[in-house]
Amino acid sequence: MSEPANNEMDFPAEEYRARLQRTQEQMVKHHLPVLLLHQPENINYLSGLDQIGYFSYHALAVPSRGDPVLIVRDMEVPTAHSTSWVKNHVVYADAADPLPVWLDAARRALEGLGLAGGRVGVDEHSWFLTVERWKMLQALLPNATLVGEPRIVDHLRLIKSPREIENLRGAARQVEVGLRAGIEAIAPGVKERELAGAVIGALASAGSKMPSGGIITSGDRTSLIHGGLSDRRLERGDPVYFEQNGVHKNYWARLMRTAIVGPASAGQQRIAETIIRIQDEAIALMRPGTPASVVDRACREPLLASGLRETYTNRAGYSLGLNHRPSAGEFIREFVPGVEWVLEPGMVFHMLMMAAGMGFSETVLVTEQGPERLTTMERKLFSCS
């Protein structure tokens, strides 16, 4: 199979084909003749299609044998030719009543594969398969039975290939540049929004895809874990909390650090050192074969015992890799109480810990030898004069 003439694919075609083969092997095991996928990450993972037009309907029909079919808006065909190895497209044009036009394209794709009857696996967990789309699809496929597929591609994405890991290393380098620029911009009187400007500029210069200001809060606003930017001006003694993203070829690395405007007090230093020590000890346990529950307890129990938090209800970490907005991570595997999965080589996680207005995190790769921090920025409380 020849490559597209204008090749902007993020991976060689053979890597995409290997992913497709693993997907099709799982489809056979689950008696699914075809998948109709809507989640942008999974479409990208199998086809390479790289675009931001998911506000309009896009899907990938994947037969258990043979090549997949992209279902795309006609305006996205040049992008499909440029970024994807998949040559079979079913297209649609904008319409006054778009829903039936969108889903009729999916029907045509399935009929073209000879798979518009019988079991059709759909990604019911996808935010992009809305209830109205599901109902319309069912109405247009009267001879098909739509069944929830067991997140086949999601689970395959958990184990990163060497090329994927290199993308994550690139993203980690970018996020460190951006976060360091934000810290260097800290001074009394500076607005949170101005810190974001420094971060965005540095991320863009470092090559990060669609850079944003991430999460930056200060002072009492550090209790707003997902707070937006504000015009609040920094005051001496304020904690400044950063959670930032580097994005390289759609692979995300994340990083949290906290800085103090001026010298840190003894109390602030003690809080930071406690969080970092507990997290270091938990990350050290992230070896192949380790139950996730062991790592979760190593994060949760000591922090509660320290008295820095009265409750610890949020996840202590989650899987990270190929990602598209609006999602902030894979969330296919999470460190929460009661989990039963085990760590495997090639998994990547964002490990985070927050308490008392401070937060620290790392993007961590599980290797055969143990954990590797892909983010390598100094693990400390920064003091900024």
Side-chain angles (χ1 to χ4, degrees), residues 36 38 57 97-107 110 122 129-144 146:
L36 187 63
H38 300 82
Y57 184 81
D97 185 8
L99 187 65
V101 174
W102 292 346
L103 278 304
D104 187 65
R107 177 195 62 78
L110 293 174
V122 293
L129 180 59
T130 63
V131 173
E132 66 173 3
R133 290 179 179 186
W134 193 94
K135 287 181 176 179
M136 179 63 69
L137 186 64
Q138 188 174 50
L140 292 173
L141 295 170
N143 297 319
L146 303 183

PDB file of all heavy atoms in Angstrom, residues 36 38 57 97-107 110 122 129-144 146:
ATOM      1  N   LEU A  36     -17.898   0.986  15.020  1.00  0.00           N
ATOM      2  CA  LEU A  36     -18.114   2.348  14.550  1.00  0.00           C
ATOM      3  C   LEU A  36     -17.658   3.272  15.679  1.00  0.00           C
ATOM      4  O   LEU A  36     -18.347   3.419  16.697  1.00  0.00           O
ATOM      5  CB  LEU A  36     -19.583   2.583  14.201  1.00  0.00           C
ATOM      6  CG  LEU A  36     -19.897   3.929  13.539  1.00  0.00           C
ATOM      7  CD1 LEU A  36     -19.185   4.042  12.184  1.00  0.00           C
ATOM      8  CD2 LEU A  36     -21.399   4.108  13.366  1.00  0.00           C
ATOM      9  N   HIS A  38     -16.240   6.786  17.496  1.00  0.00           N
ATOM     10  CA  HIS A  38     -16.483   8.223  17.471  1.00  0.00           C
ATOM     11  C   HIS A  38     -15.489   9.014  18.315  1.00  0.00           C
ATOM     12  O   HIS A  38     -15.387  10.230  18.150  1.00  0.00           O
ATOM     13  CB  HIS A  38     -17.899   8.529  17.962  1.00  0.00           C
ATOM     14  CG  HIS A  38     -18.967   7.893  17.138  1.00  0.00           C
ATOM     15  ND1 HIS A  38     -19.362   6.581  17.309  1.00  0.00           N
ATOM     16  CD2 HIS A  38     -19.710   8.377  16.108  1.00  0.00           C
ATOM     17  CE1 HIS A  38     -20.314   6.289  16.432  1.00  0.00           C
ATOM     18  NE2 HIS A  38     -20.546   7.361  15.697  1.00  0.00           N
ATOM     19  N   TYR A  57     -19.743  15.806  12.774  1.00  0.00           N
ATOM     20  CA  TYR A  57     -19.674  14.349  12.918  1.00  0.00           C
ATOM     21  C   TYR A  57     -18.473  13.763  12.180  1.00  0.00           C
ATOM     22  O   TYR A  57     -18.238  14.060  11.002  1.00  0.00           O
ATOM     23  CB  TYR A  57     -20.953  13.720  12.374  1.00  0.00           C
ATOM     24  CG  TYR A  57     -21.035  12.229  12.570  1.00  0.00           C
ATOM     25  CD1 TYR A  57     -21.438  11.700  13.785  1.00  0.00           C
ATOM     26  CD2 TYR A  57     -20.711  11.347  11.543  1.00  0.00           C
ATOM     27  CE1 TYR A  57     -21.517  10.332  13.984  1.00  0.00           C
ATOM     28  CE2 TYR A  57     -20.796   9.981  11.722  1.00  0.00           C
ATOM     29  CZ  TYR A  57     -21.195   9.479  12.948  1.00  0.00           C
ATOM     30  OH  TYR A  57     -21.252   8.122  13.128  1.00  0.00           O
ATOM     31  N   ASP A  97     -30.431  20.546   8.083  1.00  0.00           N
ATOM     32  CA  ASP A  97     -30.734  19.582   9.143  1.00  0.00           C
ATOM     33  C   ASP A  97     -29.602  18.554   9.136  1.00  0.00           C
ATOM     34  O   ASP A  97     -29.667  17.543   8.432  1.00  0.00           O
ATOM     35  CB  ASP A  97     -32.092  18.913   8.878  1.00  0.00           C
ATOM     36  CG  ASP A  97     -32.502  17.991  10.031  1.00  0.00           C
ATOM     37  OD1 ASP A  97     -31.808  17.997  11.074  1.00  0.00           O
ATOM     38  OD2 ASP A  97     -33.519  17.283   9.881  1.00  0.00           O
ATOM     39  N   PRO A  98     -28.535  18.798   9.907  1.00  0.00           N
ATOM     40  CA  PRO A  98     -27.324  17.997   9.723  1.00  0.00           C
ATOM     41  C   PRO A  98     -27.403  16.575  10.265  1.00  0.00           C
ATOM     42  O   PRO A  98     -26.744  15.686   9.735  1.00  0.00           O
ATOM     43  CB  PRO A  98     -26.257  18.802  10.474  1.00  0.00           C
ATOM     44  CG  PRO A  98     -27.013  19.568  11.500  1.00  0.00           C
ATOM     45  CD  PRO A  98     -28.328  19.905  10.872  1.00  0.00           C
ATOM     46  N   LEU A  99     -28.187  16.346  11.300  1.00  0.00           N
ATOM     47  CA  LEU A  99     -28.142  15.048  11.985  1.00  0.00           C
ATOM     48  C   LEU A  99     -28.390  13.870  11.045  1.00  0.00           C
ATOM     49  O   LEU A  99     -27.584  12.935  10.998  1.00  0.00           O
ATOM     50  CB  LEU A  99     -29.126  15.045  13.153  1.00  0.00           C
ATOM     51  CG  LEU A  99     -29.055  13.809  14.062  1.00  0.00           C
ATOM     52  CD1 LEU A  99     -27.724  13.732  14.774  1.00  0.00           C
ATOM     53  CD2 LEU A  99     -30.198  13.846  15.081  1.00  0.00           C
ATOM     54  N   PRO A 100     -29.485  13.851  10.270  1.00  0.00           N
ATOM     55  CA  PRO A 100     -29.682  12.702   9.374  1.00  0.00           C
ATOM     56  C   PRO A 100     -28.622  12.606   8.292  1.00  0.00           C
ATOM     57  O   PRO A 100     -28.292  11.501   7.858  1.00  0.00           O
ATOM     58  CB  PRO A 100     -31.073  12.954   8.773  1.00  0.00           C
ATOM     59  CG  PRO A 100     -31.357  14.394   8.990  1.00  0.00           C
ATOM     60  CD  PRO A 100     -30.638  14.790  10.225  1.00  0.00           C
ATOM     61  N   VAL A 101     -28.070  13.733   7.866  1.00  0.00           N
ATOM     62  CA  VAL A 101     -27.006  13.696   6.856  1.00  0.00           C
ATOM     63  C   VAL A 101     -25.754  13.065   7.432  1.00  0.00           C
ATOM     64  O   VAL A 101     -25.098  12.223   6.799  1.00  0.00           O
ATOM     65  CB  VAL A 101     -26.726  15.123   6.338  1.00  0.00           C
ATOM     66  CG1 VAL A 101     -25.529  15.128   5.390  1.00  0.00           C
ATOM     67  CG2 VAL A 101     -27.955  15.685   5.642  1.00  0.00           C
ATOM     68  N   TRP A 102     -25.399  13.460   8.647  1.00  0.00           N
ATOM     69  CA  TRP A 102     -24.221  12.889   9.306  1.00  0.00           C
ATOM     70  C   TRP A 102     -24.336  11.366   9.430  1.00  0.00           C
ATOM     71  O   TRP A 102     -23.443  10.630   9.030  1.00  0.00           O
ATOM     72  CB  TRP A 102     -24.083  13.464  10.713  1.00  0.00           C
ATOM     73  CG  TRP A 102     -23.739  14.911  10.798  1.00  0.00           C
ATOM     74  CD1 TRP A 102     -23.273  15.724   9.805  1.00  0.00           C
ATOM     75  CD2 TRP A 102     -23.844  15.727  11.971  1.00  0.00           C
ATOM     76  NE1 TRP A 102     -23.081  16.995  10.272  1.00  0.00           N
ATOM     77  CE2 TRP A 102     -23.421  17.027  11.603  1.00  0.00           C
ATOM     78  CE3 TRP A 102     -24.247  15.497  13.279  1.00  0.00           C
ATOM     79  CZ2 TRP A 102     -23.386  18.086  12.521  1.00  0.00           C
ATOM     80  CZ3 TRP A 102     -24.214  16.543  14.193  1.00  0.00           C
ATOM     81  CH2 TRP A 102     -23.790  17.818  13.814  1.00  0.00           C
ATOM     82  N   LEU A 103     -25.458  10.940  10.012  1.00  0.00           N
ATOM     83  CA  LEU A 103     -25.585   9.518  10.319  1.00  0.00           C
ATOM     84  C   LEU A 103     -25.851   8.679   9.079  1.00  0.00           C
ATOM     85  O   LEU A 103     -25.526   7.485   9.056  1.00  0.00           O
ATOM     86  CB  LEU A 103     -26.669   9.304  11.370  1.00  0.00           C
ATOM     87  CG  LEU A 103     -26.212   9.527  12.834  1.00  0.00           C
ATOM     88  CD1 LEU A 103     -25.021   8.641  13.179  1.00  0.00           C
ATOM     89  CD2 LEU A 103     -25.882  10.961  13.132  1.00  0.00           C
ATOM     90  N   ASP A 104     -26.407   9.301   8.025  1.00  0.00           N
ATOM     91  CA  ASP A 104     -26.546   8.569   6.775  1.00  0.00           C
ATOM     92  C   ASP A 104     -25.170   8.267   6.183  1.00  0.00           C
ATOM     93  O   ASP A 104     -24.995   7.231   5.528  1.00  0.00           O
ATOM     94  CB  ASP A 104     -27.395   9.355   5.779  1.00  0.00           C
ATOM     95  CG  ASP A 104     -27.699   8.542   4.537  1.00  0.00           C
ATOM     96  OD1 ASP A 104     -28.405   7.518   4.651  1.00  0.00           O
ATOM     97  OD2 ASP A 104     -27.187   8.914   3.458  1.00  0.00           O
ATOM     98  N   ALA A 105     -24.201   9.146   6.418  1.00  0.00           N
ATOM     99  CA  ALA A 105     -22.839   8.850   5.963  1.00  0.00           C
ATOM    100  C   ALA A 105     -22.296   7.620   6.674  1.00  0.00           C
ATOM    101  O   ALA A 105     -21.626   6.778   6.057  1.00  0.00           O
ATOM    102  CB  ALA A 105     -21.945  10.060   6.195  1.00  0.00           C
ATOM    103  N   ALA A 106     -22.592   7.492   7.958  1.00  0.00           N
ATOM    104  CA  ALA A 106     -22.174   6.290   8.685  1.00  0.00           C
ATOM    105  C   ALA A 106     -22.858   5.053   8.118  1.00  0.00           C
ATOM    106  O   ALA A 106     -22.237   3.994   7.950  1.00  0.00           O
ATOM    107  CB  ALA A 106     -22.494   6.449  10.170  1.00  0.00           C
ATOM    108  N   ARG A 107     -24.147   5.179   7.819  1.00  0.00           N
ATOM    109  CA  ARG A 107     -24.868   4.051   7.224  1.00  0.00           C
ATOM    110  C   ARG A 107     -24.221   3.643   5.902  1.00  0.00           C
ATOM    111  O   ARG A 107     -24.018   2.449   5.636  1.00  0.00           O
ATOM    112  CB  ARG A 107     -26.335   4.436   7.005  1.00  0.00           C
ATOM    113  CG  ARG A 107     -27.164   3.338   6.305  1.00  0.00           C
ATOM    114  CD  ARG A 107     -28.493   3.877   5.785  1.00  0.00           C
ATOM    115  NE  ARG A 107     -28.317   4.931   4.781  1.00  0.00           N
ATOM    116  CZ  ARG A 107     -27.998   4.703   3.512  1.00  0.00           C
ATOM    117  NH1 ARG A 107     -27.792   3.475   3.062  1.00  0.00           N
ATOM    118  NH2 ARG A 107     -27.861   5.729   2.667  1.00  0.00           N
ATOM    119  N   LEU A 110     -21.029   1.688   6.422  1.00  0.00           N
ATOM    120  CA  LEU A 110     -21.268   0.305   6.843  1.00  0.00           C
ATOM    121  C   LEU A 110     -21.820  -0.536   5.695  1.00  0.00           C
ATOM    122  O   LEU A 110     -21.440  -1.705   5.526  1.00  0.00           O
ATOM    123  CB  LEU A 110     -22.222   0.283   8.039  1.00  0.00           C
ATOM    124  CG  LEU A 110     -21.667   0.894   9.336  1.00  0.00           C
ATOM    125  CD1 LEU A 110     -22.752   0.958  10.401  1.00  0.00           C
ATOM    126  CD2 LEU A 110     -20.479   0.083   9.854  1.00  0.00           C
ATOM    127  N   VAL A 122     -20.408  -0.087  19.007  1.00  0.00           N
ATOM    128  CA  VAL A 122     -20.285   1.367  19.081  1.00  0.00           C
ATOM    129  C   VAL A 122     -19.685   1.746  20.434  1.00  0.00           C
ATOM    130  O   VAL A 122     -19.869   1.056  21.441  1.00  0.00           O
ATOM    131  CB  VAL A 122     -21.643   2.072  18.880  1.00  0.00           C
ATOM    132  CG1 VAL A 122     -22.141   1.878  17.463  1.00  0.00           C
ATOM    133  CG2 VAL A 122     -22.676   1.586  19.890  1.00  0.00           C
ATOM    134  N   LEU A 129     -20.648  10.392  20.764  1.00  0.00           N
ATOM    135  CA  LEU A 129     -21.814   9.609  20.354  1.00  0.00           C
ATOM    136  C   LEU A 129     -22.964  10.017  21.273  1.00  0.00           C
ATOM    137  O   LEU A 129     -23.234   9.373  22.284  1.00  0.00           O
ATOM    138  CB  LEU A 129     -21.544   8.109  20.437  1.00  0.00           C
ATOM    139  CG  LEU A 129     -22.706   7.209  20.016  1.00  0.00           C
ATOM    140  CD1 LEU A 129     -23.127   7.479  18.576  1.00  0.00           C
ATOM    141  CD2 LEU A 129     -22.347   5.738  20.207  1.00  0.00           C
ATOM    142  N   THR A 130     -23.607  11.116  20.918  1.00  0.00           N
ATOM    143  CA  THR A 130     -24.681  11.648  21.753  1.00  0.00           C
ATOM    144  C   THR A 130     -25.924  10.772  21.638  1.00  0.00           C
ATOM    145  O   THR A 130     -26.036   9.927  20.739  1.00  0.00           O
ATOM    146  CB  THR A 130     -25.023  13.082  21.338  1.00  0.00           C
ATOM    147  OG1 THR A 130     -25.503  13.061  19.981  1.00  0.00           O
ATOM    148  CG2 THR A 130     -23.798  13.984  21.425  1.00  0.00           C
ATOM    149  N   VAL A 131     -26.864  10.999  22.529  1.00  0.00           N
ATOM    150  CA  VAL A 131     -28.108  10.222  22.512  1.00  0.00           C
ATOM    151  C   VAL A 131     -28.835  10.414  21.184  1.00  0.00           C
ATOM    152  O   VAL A 131     -29.323   9.443  20.581  1.00  0.00           O
ATOM    153  CB  VAL A 131     -29.011  10.625  23.692  1.00  0.00           C
ATOM    154  CG1 VAL A 131     -30.376   9.947  23.580  1.00  0.00           C
ATOM    155  CG2 VAL A 131     -28.347  10.259  25.019  1.00  0.00           C
ATOM    156  N   GLU A 132     -28.912  11.665  20.692  1.00  0.00           N
ATOM    157  CA  GLU A 132     -29.633  11.879  19.441  1.00  0.00           C
ATOM    158  C   GLU A 132     -28.921  11.229  18.266  1.00  0.00           C
ATOM    159  O   GLU A 132     -29.562  10.730  17.343  1.00  0.00           O
ATOM    160  CB  GLU A 132     -29.855  13.374  19.185  1.00  0.00           C
ATOM    161  CG  GLU A 132     -28.605  14.186  18.940  1.00  0.00           C
ATOM    162  CD  GLU A 132     -28.929  15.620  18.537  1.00  0.00           C
ATOM    163  OE1 GLU A 132     -30.126  15.985  18.514  1.00  0.00           O
ATOM    164  OE2 GLU A 132     -27.980  16.379  18.241  1.00  0.00           O
ATOM    165  N   ARG A 133     -27.596  11.210  18.282  1.00  0.00           N
ATOM    166  CA  ARG A 133     -26.869  10.522  17.209  1.00  0.00           C
ATOM    167  C   ARG A 133     -27.110   9.019  17.275  1.00  0.00           C
ATOM    168  O   ARG A 133     -27.299   8.365  16.255  1.00  0.00           O
ATOM    169  CB  ARG A 133     -25.370  10.832  17.316  1.00  0.00           C
ATOM    170  CG  ARG A 133     -25.010  12.269  16.976  1.00  0.00           C
ATOM    171  CD  ARG A 133     -23.527  12.524  17.113  1.00  0.00           C
ATOM    172  NE  ARG A 133     -23.182  13.909  16.764  1.00  0.00           N
ATOM    173  CZ  ARG A 133     -21.948  14.372  16.696  1.00  0.00           C
ATOM    174  NH1 ARG A 133     -20.911  13.570  16.970  1.00  0.00           N
ATOM    175  NH2 ARG A 133     -21.713  15.643  16.375  1.00  0.00           N
ATOM    176  N   TRP A 134     -27.091   8.470  18.494  1.00  0.00           N
ATOM    177  CA  TRP A 134     -27.316   7.029  18.666  1.00  0.00           C
ATOM    178  C   TRP A 134     -28.711   6.653  18.159  1.00  0.00           C
ATOM    179  O   TRP A 134     -28.882   5.656  17.450  1.00  0.00           O
ATOM    180  CB  TRP A 134     -27.152   6.656  20.138  1.00  0.00           C
ATOM    181  CG  TRP A 134     -27.053   5.187  20.405  1.00  0.00           C
ATOM    182  CD1 TRP A 134     -25.916   4.439  20.517  1.00  0.00           C
ATOM    183  CD2 TRP A 134     -28.145   4.282  20.601  1.00  0.00           C
ATOM    184  NE1 TRP A 134     -26.233   3.127  20.771  1.00  0.00           N
ATOM    185  CE2 TRP A 134     -27.591   2.997  20.828  1.00  0.00           C
ATOM    186  CE3 TRP A 134     -29.523   4.418  20.606  1.00  0.00           C
ATOM    187  CZ2 TRP A 134     -28.373   1.882  21.068  1.00  0.00           C
ATOM    188  CZ3 TRP A 134     -30.323   3.302  20.838  1.00  0.00           C
ATOM    189  CH2 TRP A 134     -29.739   2.049  21.064  1.00  0.00           C
ATOM    190  N   LYS A 135     -29.703   7.447  18.513  1.00  0.00           N
ATOM    191  CA  LYS A 135     -31.080   7.146  18.080  1.00  0.00           C
ATOM    192  C   LYS A 135     -31.210   7.216  16.563  1.00  0.00           C
ATOM    193  O   LYS A 135     -31.871   6.370  15.943  1.00  0.00           O
ATOM    194  CB  LYS A 135     -32.055   8.112  18.747  1.00  0.00           C
ATOM    195  CG  LYS A 135     -32.275   7.857  20.227  1.00  0.00           C
ATOM    196  CD  LYS A 135     -33.281   8.854  20.798  1.00  0.00           C
ATOM    197  CE  LYS A 135     -33.584   8.558  22.244  1.00  0.00           C
ATOM    198  NZ  LYS A 135     -34.547   9.542  22.818  1.00  0.00           N
ATOM    199  N   MET A 136     -30.589   8.234  15.963  1.00  0.00           N
ATOM    200  CA  MET A 136     -30.667   8.363  14.511  1.00  0.00           C
ATOM    201  C   MET A 136     -29.957   7.200  13.829  1.00  0.00           C
ATOM    202  O   MET A 136     -30.431   6.653  12.820  1.00  0.00           O
ATOM    203  CB  MET A 136     -30.065   9.689  14.074  1.00  0.00           C
ATOM    204  CG  MET A 136     -30.072   9.925  12.564  1.00  0.00           C
ATOM    205  SD  MET A 136     -31.726  10.002  11.836  1.00  0.00           S
ATOM    206  CE  MET A 136     -32.331  11.557  12.531  1.00  0.00           C
ATOM    207  N   LEU A 137     -28.816   6.806  14.349  1.00  0.00           N
ATOM    208  CA  LEU A 137     -28.070   5.685  13.787  1.00  0.00           C
ATOM    209  C   LEU A 137     -28.900   4.409  13.854  1.00  0.00           C
ATOM    210  O   LEU A 137     -28.967   3.636  12.890  1.00  0.00           O
ATOM    211  CB  LEU A 137     -26.754   5.517  14.552  1.00  0.00           C
ATOM    212  CG  LEU A 137     -25.772   4.485  14.024  1.00  0.00           C
ATOM    213  CD1 LEU A 137     -25.277   4.860  12.634  1.00  0.00           C
ATOM    214  CD2 LEU A 137     -24.583   4.345  14.980  1.00  0.00           C
ATOM    215  N   GLN A 138     -29.560   4.190  14.961  1.00  0.00           N
ATOM    216  CA  GLN A 138     -30.399   3.001  15.111  1.00  0.00           C
ATOM    217  C   GLN A 138     -31.553   3.017  14.104  1.00  0.00           C
ATOM    218  O   GLN A 138     -31.884   1.981  13.504  1.00  0.00           O
ATOM    219  CB  GLN A 138     -30.939   2.948  16.536  1.00  0.00           C
ATOM    220  CG  GLN A 138     -31.664   1.659  16.882  1.00  0.00           C
ATOM    221  CD  GLN A 138     -32.053   1.612  18.346  1.00  0.00           C
ATOM    222  OE1 GLN A 138     -32.646   2.552  18.852  1.00  0.00           O
ATOM    223  NE2 GLN A 138     -31.713   0.530  19.020  1.00  0.00           N
ATOM    224  N   ALA A 139     -32.135   4.207  13.891  1.00  0.00           N
ATOM    225  CA  ALA A 139     -33.254   4.303  12.946  1.00  0.00           C
ATOM    226  C   ALA A 139     -32.800   4.046  11.518  1.00  0.00           C
ATOM    227  O   ALA A 139     -33.554   3.464  10.719  1.00  0.00           O
ATOM    228  CB  ALA A 139     -33.884   5.689  13.058  1.00  0.00           C
ATOM    229  N   LEU A 140     -31.586   4.460  11.170  1.00  0.00           N
ATOM    230  CA  LEU A 140     -31.083   4.297   9.806  1.00  0.00           C
ATOM    231  C   LEU A 140     -30.529   2.897   9.546  1.00  0.00           C
ATOM    232  O   LEU A 140     -30.245   2.557   8.393  1.00  0.00           O
ATOM    233  CB  LEU A 140     -29.997   5.339   9.531  1.00  0.00           C
ATOM    234  CG  LEU A 140     -30.469   6.792   9.459  1.00  0.00           C
ATOM    235  CD1 LEU A 140     -29.263   7.736   9.357  1.00  0.00           C
ATOM    236  CD2 LEU A 140     -31.395   6.998   8.265  1.00  0.00           C
ATOM    237  N   LEU A 141     -30.357   2.105  10.605  1.00  0.00           N
ATOM    238  CA  LEU A 141     -29.815   0.745  10.463  1.00  0.00           C
ATOM    239  C   LEU A 141     -30.796  -0.256  11.067  1.00  0.00           C
ATOM    240  O   LEU A 141     -30.537  -0.893  12.090  1.00  0.00           O
ATOM    241  CB  LEU A 141     -28.456   0.640  11.164  1.00  0.00           C
ATOM    242  CG  LEU A 141     -27.322   1.489  10.579  1.00  0.00           C
ATOM    243  CD1 LEU A 141     -26.106   1.472  11.509  1.00  0.00           C
ATOM    244  CD2 LEU A 141     -26.932   0.977   9.192  1.00  0.00           C
ATOM    245  N   PRO A 142     -31.962  -0.431  10.445  1.00  0.00           N
ATOM    246  CA  PRO A 142     -32.995  -1.288  11.043  1.00  0.00           C
ATOM    247  C   PRO A 142     -32.592  -2.749  11.147  1.00  0.00           C
ATOM    248  O   PRO A 142     -33.169  -3.485  11.973  1.00  0.00           O
ATOM    249  CB  PRO A 142     -34.187  -1.102  10.093  1.00  0.00           C
ATOM    250  CG  PRO A 142     -33.567  -0.690   8.784  1.00  0.00           C
ATOM    251  CD  PRO A 142     -32.381   0.144   9.151  1.00  0.00           C
ATOM    252  N   ASN A 143     -31.624  -3.176  10.343  1.00  0.00           N
ATOM    253  CA  ASN A 143     -31.223  -4.586  10.373  1.00  0.00           C
ATOM    254  C   ASN A 143     -29.988  -4.826  11.236  1.00  0.00           C
ATOM    255  O   ASN A 143     -29.479  -5.940  11.303  1.00  0.00           O
ATOM    256  CB  ASN A 143     -30.948  -5.080   8.954  1.00  0.00           C
ATOM    257  CG  ASN A 143     -32.192  -5.021   8.086  1.00  0.00           C
ATOM    258  OD1 ASN A 143     -33.289  -5.358   8.533  1.00  0.00           O
ATOM    259  ND2 ASN A 143     -32.036  -4.574   6.843  1.00  0.00           N
ATOM    260  N   ALA A 144     -29.532  -3.775  11.892  1.00  0.00           N
ATOM    261  CA  ALA A 144     -28.335  -3.892  12.726  1.00  0.00           C
ATOM    262  C   ALA A 144     -28.715  -3.886  14.195  1.00  0.00           C
ATOM    263  O   ALA A 144     -29.756  -3.342  14.595  1.00  0.00           O
ATOM    264  CB  ALA A 144     -27.371  -2.746  12.436  1.00  0.00           C
ATOM    265  N   LEU A 146     -27.053  -2.476  17.520  1.00  0.00           N
ATOM    266  CA  LEU A 146     -25.973  -1.666  18.078  1.00  0.00           C
ATOM    267  C   LEU A 146     -25.639  -2.177  19.483  1.00  0.00           C
ATOM    268  O   LEU A 146     -26.523  -2.265  20.339  1.00  0.00           O
ATOM    269  CB  LEU A 146     -26.386  -0.196  18.144  1.00  0.00           C
ATOM    270  CG  LEU A 146     -26.828   0.462  16.834  1.00  0.00           C
ATOM    271  CD1 LEU A 146     -27.119   1.938  17.065  1.00  0.00           C
ATOM    272  CD2 LEU A 146     -25.785   0.289  15.745  1.00  0.00           C
TER     273      LEU A 146
END
